[in-house]
Amino acid sequence: YISRAKIRRYPLGDGQFKTEINWLGKKNDLNQIYLVRNSFFEPVSRGEFNPDKNWVYDCLKEIKIAFKWHKPAIISSHRVNYIGSIDKQNREKGLTSLKNLLKQIIRTWPEVEFMTSEELGNLISESRK
């Protein structure tokens, strides 16, 4: 399984680029299944560029859209949001925000299931058989 963005631009050289459009369940030439991120949670790593953004609220809106279309919410978040090796306040802010997000998800969708990327990929693979 490969986690990707919906739209990916990559260089071909000589100033040329190719745009790749991805969707949940798309297969590549190696028969790998794409898991497309549709919700974003970066309270520390991206928060420094947009300190007024409410990452919990915005992520919840994106999750709501995914669920409205009967899709899983695949949240993109990087470990820099939860470690404190450089700045311990990053860890505290990130973990506090994540705890708040998870509480809000469970409160809003009590029947929600959490799974790993591998578990989601296996579920998609099994549903195709």
Side-chain angles (χ1 to χ4, degrees), residues 41-100:
F41 189 67
E42 303 287 351
V44 173
S45 64
R46 300 273 194 259
E48 66 186 79
F49 301 111
N50 193 354
D52 297 328
K53 181 172 176 139
N54 185 331
W55 284 96
V56 171
Y57 176 78
D58 287 352
C59 189
L60 287 168
K61 284 194 324 187
E62 293 163 342
I63 292 168
K64 183 178 181 179
I65 291 167
F67 289 171
K68 176 183 177 184
W69 293 103
H70 306 285
K71 303 288 183 192
I74 302 175
I75 302 172
S76 176
S77 191
H78 294 86
R79 70 175 167 234
V80 71
N81 293 287
Y82 315 107
I83 60 172
S85 56
I86 296 174
D87 183 349
K88 290 184 182 186
Q89 289 180 348
N90 283 352
R91 178 180 60 227
E92 295 306 317
K93 179 181 179 186
L95 290 175
T96 299
S97 297
L98 179 61
K99 184 177 182 179
N100 188 11

Side-chain angles (χ1 to χ4, degrees), residues 2-17:
I2 298 177
S3 179
R4 285 277 169 90
K6 186 175 186 175
I7 299 173
R8 179 177 169 241
R9 274 190 69 186
Y10 56 93
L12 298 173
D14 295 325
Q16 301 294 313
F17 290 85

